[in-house]
Amino acid sequence: MTDAQLIKATIEGDDSAFKKLVQRYEGMVAATVIGMLGCGDEAEDVGQETFIRFYKNLKQYRGEASLSTYLTRIAMNLSFNALKRRRLSRMKFWSVDDPVVQIRDTEDHEYDDTHDHVQNAVHKLPPEFRAVIVLRFYRERSIREISEILKIPQGTVLSRLARAQHKLRAILQPIMGDSHETVRTRPAV
Amino acid sequence: MKRSVRDLLFKSFDASLTEKEQQHLDSELSGSASLNEEKRQIERMRQTLAGMKHPSFKPFFADRVMNNLLKPGDESDIFFESLKLAFGRMAIAAAIIITGLLSYDAIRYHHPVLSNILPSGQNNLEQALDPALTYLQE
């Protein structure tokens, strides 16, 4: 069934159709919110809230933007809000730790080390820079799509991408400097 | 390295450059070993970023979303919702009436004062208890 058919069925009261939509897009929403907030309960809550918001405003969705873009926009806005809340709570309680990355216990330790370093570096970026990195590299969105999602001009997307990569390179320089000749990409599962 | 050249280098990865920009970048690249090294490092970093694992939520995420969506509302939520429904309109109506009366007052006296339109009464506790205090003192 297409997205439009599933949306129509949901509006007509078929909740199982909505569940199919959630299953179809949960990976995409996960990449966005976990990319922005790191693994953990906060990301899960924001992910759930994304679909709940979508469900409540289902009748307002007119299909002008693709469902993927629409959901990503909701997920991104909710992630920005969560980051604001996190910053405020850190100001109130300075001991609150930033729940950044869960280190996964897999056999490929070398890959994991690089992965965790890069993930931590991404999380050190300011939210507006982090957003373009997440959308461009984790979600493989085009510059035009990123511009639509974040509602900023394409030139701004490009300049933010450049500045974000420049900052990332500075953070990762000790790890990925000249001595690091081979870069491990995702291991085959 | 000039910032404009660096920006051009980053741009070349994500957008097509104009012929002039491309020529400029090529000439800079051919004349600078450090710029070539910078380009190699950026390529390496982008490769790593693109090869990152795609994270996912814990299993049964869709079930949890549906449970949250379909669970009956909290009783306290229902109570506050009904309060909002009952008094929300009343509050809006009162605000409209007060605004209307203030406007009327302003037009009539050219000097809007809230006390002119609200019933004037005793202002504080002492004034409110004044008769009783007087009686006690007697």
Side-chain angles (χ1 to χ4, degrees):
Chain A
M1 281 175 96
T2 63
D3 288 349
Q5 286 169 328
L6 287 173
I7 289 170
K8 190 166 176 275
T10 308
I11 291 170
E12 284 164 1
D14 179 5
D15 288 324
S16 68
F18 189 74
K19 190 177 173 182
K20 281 181 190 147
L21 279 173
V22 176
Q23 285 166 335
R24 189 173 288 178
Y25 286 99
E26 68 167 275
M28 187 209 76
V29 170
T32 307
V33 298
I34 296 176
M36 289 298 289
L37 305 170
C39 292
D41 291 343
E42 191 183 25
E44 162 97 13
D45 290 346
V46 169
Q48 288 197 27
E49 186 61 24
T50 300
F51 286 105
I52 290 169
R53 289 272 174 102
F54 175 52
Y55 183 86
K56 286 181 179 168
N57 297 301
L58 210 51
K59 287 176 186 168
Q60 288 165 23
Y61 174 66
R62 294 183 184 88
E64 288 153 357
S66 71
L67 189 50
S68 155
T69 300
Y70 189 74
L71 281 171
T72 306
R73 198 180 290 154
I74 299 175
M76 214 25 117
N77 287 337
L78 291 174
S79 299
F80 281 131
N81 291 345
L83 286 169
K84 264 184 217 160
R85 278 198 305 273
R86 197 188 276 180
R87 201 177 61 225
L88 285 174
S89 84
R90 204 182 294 137
M91 278 158 68
K92 279 185 201 161
F93 310 103
W94 57 271
S95 62
V96 172
D97 292 323
D98 198 357
V100 179
V101 183
Q102 279 182 356
I103 297 172
R104 291 175 179 82
D105 186 22
T106 67
E107 289 174 2
D108 198 332
H109 296 296
E110 194 183 338
Y111 168 79
D112 267 6
D113 281 349
T114 312
H115 174 278
D116 292 335
H117 284 311
V118 175
Q119 187 82 295
N120 279 321
V122 171
H123 280 268
K124 281 178 185 163
L125 295 173
E128 67 272 21
F129 291 157
R130 199 183 307 173
V132 289
I133 291 289
V134 166
L135 292 172
R136 183 69 176 148
F137 294 103
Y138 298 2
R139 296 285 316 284
E140 296 169 4
R141 300 284 106 180
S142 69
I143 301 299
R144 187 183 57 77
E145 286 170 322
I146 298 173
S147 146
E148 270 178 35
I149 290 165
L150 297 177
K151 294 186 172 172
I152 53 175
Q154 291 188 30
T156 311
V157 175
L158 283 169
S159 69
R160 279 190 193 174
L161 255 180
R163 288 173 68 191
Q165 287 177 89
H166 185 62
K167 279 175 187 281
L168 265 183
R169 222 173 67 78
I171 299 168
L172 291 169
Q173 187 76 27
I175 305 140
M176 299 179 70
D178 299 341
S179 60
H180 196 97
E181 284 304 324
T182 52
V183 173
R184 300 288 303 273
T185 53
R186 188 167 13 152
V189 179
Chain B
M1 186 198 307
K2 274 192 241 165
R3 192 180 163 173
S4 62
V5 178
R6 197 192 68 207
D7 287 348
L8 211 55
L9 180 63
F10 278 118
K11 192 182 169 188
S12 69
F13 289 104
D14 295 299
S16 49
L17 302 180
T18 63
E19 202 175 325
K20 197 179 165 189
E21 285 174 332
Q22 189 64 56
Q23 278 171 1
H24 181 49
L25 183 62
D26 288 344
S27 75
E28 290 283 341
L29 278 168
S30 62
S32 164
S34 68
L35 188 61
N36 275 295
E37 177 55 28
E38 173 113 13
K39 188 184 176 192
R40 240 190 340 269
Q41 286 186 12
I42 294 168
E43 278 170 349
R44 205 181 294 157
M45 187 185 69
R46 289 175 65 93
Q47 199 185 340
T48 309
L49 279 169
M52 295 283 281
K53 279 176 189 165
H54 292 295
S56 55
F57 294 123
K58 291 174 208 155
F60 309 111
F61 174 79
D63 290 326
R64 289 194 296 281
V65 171
M66 295 314 289
N67 285 342
N68 274 337
L69 269 176
L70 304 175
K71 76 176 176 194
D74 190 356
E75 278 182 19
S76 62
D77 285 351
I78 296 168
F79 174 72
F80 286 116
E81 273 302 311
S82 21
L83 266 185
K84 219 161 61 177
L85 265 178
F87 294 106
R89 285 177 192 167
M90 222 183 280
I92 292 168
I96 292 169
I97 291 168
I98 289 174
T99 313
L101 287 173
L102 267 175
S103 312
Y104 173 75
D105 193 48
I107 293 163
R108 198 168 167 194
Y109 300 109
H110 305 286
H111 181 60
V113 180
L114 197 62
S115 59
N116 283 354
I117 55 166
L118 295 175
S120 58
Q122 288 153 321
N123 293 329
N124 55 35
L125 192 62
E126 273 182 15
Q127 285 168 332
L129 295 174
D130 191 42
L133 285 171
T134 319
Y135 176 76
L136 282 173
Q137 279 166 358
E138 281 172 3

